[in-house]
């Protein structure tokens, strides 16, 4: 009867958080939309408690805003917030790149190349979800190999703020980063050229900061 053990509360909380966060990033829950714990709990098949805990975490991370006894709603996409998040996430990626490059194995490089192939194909097909997923997979190699848990947590916390704007710009006919920049990063990693890898990483995230500039 091992399979019938109760699901740990922490898993329910994480499930609620991940599902609601992803719905916000994808635009299923649009900026300004009021969210109600009872309604989302029913949709997710959960009790209200883990949904409330997820709300508190998402408020802390800037994806929801709440007025006690009044409302909880999805925050607007604010360019200055995205620029700030991109600057922080970019700095973390530069840090992990500096640490990870000397540790990379050939198998890690292969994972990055495959992710970039999926990224380029998704961009060409107009598949924003696929493009962003492949982008995450590529950069997550360096985060994982670095072993820096604080950097990983910071990246995970602030990347969703950036993704919302990336999705919007992609839908407006813009582009999702550059497969060419990724290729330069991968080649630098394959050559174990840490300085060049850090330079390219900085360029990638500088482009994202510029994405948030007003039109």
């Amino acid at each position: 009867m091992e399979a019938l053990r109760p699901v740990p509360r922490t898993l329910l909380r994480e499930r609620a958080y991940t599902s609601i966060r992803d719905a916000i990033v994808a635009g299923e829950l649009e900026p300004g939309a009021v969210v109600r714990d009872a309604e989302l709990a029913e949709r997710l098949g959960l009790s209200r408690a883990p949904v409330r805990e997820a709300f508190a975490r998402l408020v802390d991370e800037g994806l929801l805003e709440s007025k006690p006894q009044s409302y909880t709603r999805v925050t607007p996409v604010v360019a200055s917030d995205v620029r700030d998040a991109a600057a922080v996430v970019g700095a973390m990626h530069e840090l992990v790149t500096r640490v990870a490059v000397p540790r990379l194995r050939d198998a890690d490089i292969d994972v990055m190349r495959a992710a970039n192939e999926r990224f380029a194909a998704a961009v060409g097909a107009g598949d924003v979800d696929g493009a962003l997923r492949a982008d995450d997979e590529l950069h997550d190699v360096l985060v994982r190999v670095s072993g820096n848990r604080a950097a990983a947590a910071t990246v995970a916390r602030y990347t969703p703020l950036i993704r919302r704007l990336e999705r919007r710009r992609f839908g407006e006919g813009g582009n999702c980063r550059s497969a060419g920049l990724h290729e330069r990063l991968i080649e630098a990693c394959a050559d174990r050229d840490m300085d060049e890898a850090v330079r390219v990483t900085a360029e990638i995230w500088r482009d994202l900061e510029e994405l948030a500039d007003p039109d």
Side-chain angles (χ1 to χ4, degrees):
M1 292 294 181
E2 293 292 323
L4 295 181
R5 287 183 173 179
V7 177
R9 180 180 177 83
T10 53
L11 295 184
L12 296 177
R13 182 174 63 228
E14 191 65 25
R15 176 185 164 195
Y17 164 77
T18 301
S19 297
I20 298 167
R21 179 201 64 195
D22 290 351
I24 293 171
V25 172
E28 181 181 341
L29 295 173
E30 298 181 347
V34 174
V35 293
R36 298 176 176 84
D37 56 5
E39 178 183 335
L40 289 183
E42 182 177 358
R43 288 174 62 181
L44 293 170
L46 298 172
S47 68
R48 294 170 70 176
V51 172
R52 288 194 191 111
E53 292 172 5
F55 279 8
R57 184 172 170 185
L58 290 162
V59 167
D60 185 53
E61 294 180 359
L63 292 173
L64 292 178
E65 56 187 4
S66 182
K67 183 177 180 180
Q69 309 303 319
S70 182
Y71 62 77
T72 300
R73 64 189 179 195
V74 180
T75 57
V77 179
V78 179
S80 60
D81 290 344
V82 176
R83 283 195 301 272
D84 290 346
V88 170
V89 173
M92 292 300 99
H93 276 290
E94 289 181 48
L95 171 64
V96 300
T97 297
R98 192 175 300 279
V99 175
V101 168
R103 302 179 181 178
L104 289 169
R105 300 169 301 163
D106 290 343
D108 297 318
I109 304 298
D110 291 341
V111 171
M112 295 175 73
R113 290 193 194 281
N116 197 35
E117 289 173 4
R118 291 192 296 274
F119 173 84
V123 170
D127 177 8
V128 63
D129 290 318
L132 295 178
R133 187 163 51 248
D135 184 78
D136 282 338
E137 290 168 3
L138 190 158
H139 292 283
D140 281 351
V141 171
L142 296 168
V143 175
R144 172 179 55 79
V145 172
S146 78
N148 190 319
R149 294 174 63 184
T154 303
V155 168
R157 172 170 180 163
Y158 290 106
T159 295
L161 289 171
I162 304 165
R163 290 300 192 221
R164 288 207 292 169
L165 183 61
E166 283 187 286
R167 287 185 60 86
R168 174 184 291 182
R169 292 297 170 87
F170 190 97
E172 293 170 351
N175 213 338
C176 261
R177 304 201 195 175
S178 163
L181 276 175
H182 284 163
E183 187 59 36
R184 284 175 51 201
L185 173 61
I186 294 166
E187 290 307 314
C189 289
D191 294 338
R192 306 305 190 268
D193 186 342
M194 180 184 65
D195 290 338
E196 176 62 13
V198 171
R199 277 193 292 270
V200 177
T201 297
E203 185 174 347
I204 289 170
W205 289 93
R206 189 162 54 247
D207 285 352
L208 273 178
E209 288 185 61
E210 292 173 358
L211 184 73
D213 288 338
D215 293 331

